[in-house]
Amino acid sequence: MRYEGRVFRPPSEAYSLIVQVTVGCSHNKCTFCDMYKEKRFHLRKLEDVLEDFNIARRQYRYIERVFLADGDALIRKTEDLAA
Ligand code: SF4
């Protein structure tokens, strides 16, 4: 898998495939949080995201769950998320 910078996930997603659909956090202003301070927020190209899924498909026999990273992954268009 290809990741830009550090990647975070909740403990409940320990066994999930982590796929970055965004990089950084669209808000990135919470004073208690430094997770994405070094990143400038942007959406990854859909082609790159889909390529990551194809890489994972070749590397892993079975994937039960997928976690979409980074911060604010649901900011993406519904069509992108559906793809
Ligand atoms: S990841 Fe969450 S807690 Fe951290 S800056 Fe963004 S909105 Fe705030």
Side-chain angles (χ1 to χ4, degrees):
M1 295 300 294
R2 306 167 304 173
Y3 298 112
E4 201 173 309
R6 296 183 298 160
V7 175
F8 300 91
R9 51 107 181 118
S12 60
E13 303 290 345
Y15 301 106
S16 302
L17 174 71
I18 300 173
V19 177
Q20 270 181 315
V21 298
T22 63
V23 175
C25 169
S26 61
H27 180 61
N28 215 11
K29 290 180 183 151
C30 298
T31 55
F32 56 85
C33 171
D34 70 349
M35 289 196 297
Y36 302 115
K37 293 294 185 215
E38 80 279 7
K39 295 180 181 178
R40 186 162 175 207
F41 181 78
H42 62 276
L43 305 184
R44 284 186 72 211
K45 285 186 198 168
L46 183 59
E47 309 91 78
D48 291 343
V49 174
L50 295 176
E51 196 178 314
D52 279 359
F53 276 102
N54 283 326
I55 291 168
R57 208 172 269 134
R58 290 194 297 271
Q59 285 181 337
Y60 304 108
R61 286 177 45 193
Y62 177 75
I63 295 168
E64 187 169 324
R65 292 164 56 109
V66 173
F67 179 73
L68 304 179
D70 279 336
D72 210 2
L74 299 184
I75 201 171
R76 292 202 69 121
K77 289 181 186 168
T78 303
E79 305 91 76
D80 288 359
L81 294 171

